[in-house]
Amino acid sequence: MKAVKQALHVATVPSSVVCREVEQKKVIEFCKACIEQEKAGSIYVCGCPGTGKTLSINKVKEQLLSWSKEVGLQPLESLALNCTSLTNTSEIFSKILEKLNSSKKRKGRLTPLQHLQDLFCQRSSSNSGMMLLIIIDEMDYLITKDRAVLHDLFMLTTFPFSRFILIGIANAIDLADRFLQRLKSLNCEPFVVTFCAYSKDQIVEILQQRLMKVAAASGDMRKVLDACRTAIEVLETELRDSSTKEQPNSVTFDHMDVALSKAFKSPKVDIIKSLPQHQQIILCSMVKLFRGSKKNATTIGELNKSYLETCKTVHVPAVGSLEFTEMCRVLSDQGLIKLGQSKQDRLKRVTLQIDILDISFAFKDIRFFKNCLEDY
């Protein structure tokens, strides 16, 4: 059991990353082209949490380092940074400058960014032919906190003597709506590689790679692995506390049921369960609006239409528009949704701030809300 739990731990790095061969190939081919041509480039890797982005890019880095040595190229240097660990967002430029180890003296009081820009504007004998692979994880932090730094970072790849490949990793999929158009206008649009949520068959294959048994259904691989480990622990507890020898010695459906309940349990679930009925109906209405699509935002007007249809379906009198808007504000205060700004309430943008799975899980044993979640 100890070996099984170790194999299922999310921190355990597999020997190979299965079900992501296509995505890895795209990244490797792009990077190889940049290295062979000695030109800079950028890649934006995006996808939902738990879809193997960071794991895949780390494997890509290992393959590129080995490949550059095998073909006789100058050894590839690499730098990996996590944006959440930075003291401030502009510190990212200091880290890059340190890695380049430039002996060139700064002119006056140049900032690290300005020094990099100056460095990449003219040929340097110390960096000639050297390529640097920079991996920036949790790039969402820059998207939301400091887009100026984000733009400057990608802009560095456009300088004539820039010699680095930038790989940004983030959970933000709605790239075009947020900053891609701006990067395109700056002539530094990155090559985009999207990691879709794992399908059921892919999750089975990944689990089989680690254990050659068990399967589950979730797009987030980390939750699946945690759930399997928890199921083992539930069985362990039963065997340790049992006074009989009739207990099963393998994981059963009951063990997985307990484990999955714990896996999808979160503080938000308790908040959802404690809400007044009409606020819960609003959340159900949002689930129906976003189910099967990538979007997670709408307007108060559209949400109100969905709410009215849901109330009609379950035969519950709906509240008026003013009270509906006030309930949305309450849900926003709870951190469950986010309200945008607009002079007209019905045009205010409403963004879901929690996982749809949390809402579905909170209501999974309540028939009334099962009816609320049914399509019209």
Side-chain angles (χ1 to χ4, degrees):
M1 286 187 180
K2 183 178 180 180
V4 172
K5 288 198 294 181
Q6 179 62 32
L8 286 169
H9 200 288
V10 294
T12 300
V13 179
S15 56
S16 62
V17 184
V18 297
C19 303
R20 289 302 181 213
E21 293 83 359
V22 174
E23 292 84 355
Q24 290 180 61
K25 184 179 179 182
K26 288 180 180 178
V27 177
I28 289 174
E29 289 180 349
F30 180 92
C31 292
K32 282 184 177 180
C34 290
I35 295 170
E36 290 171 337
Q37 297 171 38
E38 294 188 5
K39 70 173 186 179
S42 60
I43 304 176
Y44 182 87
V45 175
C46 59
C48 298
T51 50
K53 300 184 297 296
T54 301
L55 191 61
S56 292
I57 297 304
N58 286 336
K59 288 295 180 182
V60 165
K61 180 184 73 173
E62 292 175 7
Q63 292 180 49
L64 288 173
L65 291 173
S66 299
W67 170 80
S68 64
K69 292 178 182 179
E70 288 173 3
V71 297
L73 296 174
Q74 187 168 335
L76 179 67
E77 297 290 328
S78 65
L79 171 65
L81 296 172
N82 189 304
C83 291
T84 58
S85 65
L86 300 174
T87 306
N88 58 72
T89 52
S90 60
E91 186 185 357
I92 200 167
F93 301 117
S94 300
K95 298 289 186 182
I96 296 174
L97 198 56
E98 288 173 12
K99 185 64 181 180
L100 288 172
N101 195 25
S102 173
S103 59
K104 185 178 178 180
K105 294 182 179 180
R106 297 193 189 187
K107 297 178 181 179
R109 296 183 178 180
L110 291 181
T111 65
L113 170 61
Q114 291 170 332
H115 188 65
L116 285 170
Q117 292 170 337
D118 182 60
L119 184 67
F120 293 149
C121 277
Q122 48 195 303
R123 187 180 296 278
S124 171
S125 58
S126 61
N127 292 334
S128 179
M130 186 196 82
M131 290 294 292
L132 175 63
L133 178 66
I134 302 176
I135 300 172
I136 310 293
D137 208 349
E138 303 290 351
M139 192 173 269
D140 308 71
Y141 186 77
L142 292 183
I143 297 172
T144 57
K145 296 291 183 182
D146 199 336
R147 292 195 188 185
V149 168
L150 185 75
H151 296 152
D152 289 334
L153 182 61
F154 278 92
M155 276 288 290
L156 286 175
T157 63
T158 66
F159 283 73
F161 296 102
S162 176
R163 294 292 181 270
F164 75 90
I165 304 167
L166 174 65
I167 301 180
I169 307 172
N171 295 328
I173 298 177
D174 52 340
L175 180 65
D177 296 335
R178 305 181 75 173
F179 74 101
L180 182 59
Q181 291 304 314
R182 174 59 177 162
L183 293 179
K184 189 175 182 179
S185 69
L186 295 171
N187 196 34
C188 57
E189 183 180 6
F191 175 56
V192 180
V193 179
T194 303
F195 280 60
C196 299
Y198 288 116
S199 67
K200 181 180 177 181
D201 290 340
Q202 288 176 320
I203 288 175
V204 170
E205 184 177 347
I206 294 168
L207 287 171
Q208 286 175 334
Q209 181 211 26
R210 296 215 182 184
L211 298 177
M212 297 304 170
K213 67 176 183 177
V214 304
S218 168
D220 188 335
M221 197 62 231
R222 290 172 294 190
K223 280 190 176 181
V224 178
L225 294 175
D226 281 336
C228 290
R229 291 183 71 248
T230 301
I232 296 286
E233 290 168 357
V234 172
L235 173 60
E236 272 186 319
T237 302
E238 282 189 4
L239 293 174
R240 185 170 57 248
D241 297 342
S242 176
S243 58
T244 68
K245 296 183 179 181
E246 297 179 0
Q247 289 289 336
N249 59 3
S250 60
V251 173
T252 66
F253 175 83
D254 290 336
H255 298 131
M256 282 305 301
D257 189 44
V258 173
L260 289 171
S261 295
K262 290 182 179 180
F264 288 101
K265 186 73 171 177
S266 75
K268 297 296 183 185
V269 170
D270 292 329
I271 294 174
I272 294 168
K273 287 183 175 182
S274 66
L275 291 173
Q277 185 185 64
H278 280 275
Q279 292 178 31
Q280 293 174 329
I281 293 175
I282 291 175
L283 292 178
C284 290
S285 301
M286 293 192 80
V287 170
K288 291 201 284 190
L289 276 176
F290 304 145
R291 184 187 288 148
S293 70
K294 292 183 178 179
K295 69 176 186 176
N296 69 335
T298 184
T299 62
I300 282 186
E302 289 300 314
L303 179 57
N304 186 245
K305 287 181 183 178
S306 179
Y307 162 78
L308 292 174
E309 288 290 341
T310 302
C311 287
K312 183 178 178 181
T313 300
V314 294
H315 308 291
V316 172
V319 301
S321 59
L322 291 178
E323 188 176 349
F324 177 84
T325 302
E326 183 57 36
M327 286 193 297
C328 287
R329 290 196 183 96
V330 173
L331 290 173
S332 179
D333 292 339
Q334 294 274 17
L336 303 177
I337 66 173
K338 180 181 179 181
L339 291 180
Q341 300 295 321
S342 177
K343 292 181 179 179
Q344 299 183 52
D345 283 340
R346 66 184 184 83
L347 297 179
K348 286 183 177 177
R349 187 177 176 85
V350 185
T351 306
L352 189 62
Q353 297 290 92
I354 54 175
D355 197 316
I356 284 179
L357 288 174
D358 282 338
I359 300 173
S360 300
F361 183 77
F363 300 139
K364 72 182 184 73
D365 295 321
I366 306 173
R367 179 174 294 180
F368 174 82
F369 289 110
K370 283 185 178 179
N371 295 334
C372 287
L373 290 167
E374 288 180 356
D375 292 326
Y376 309 128

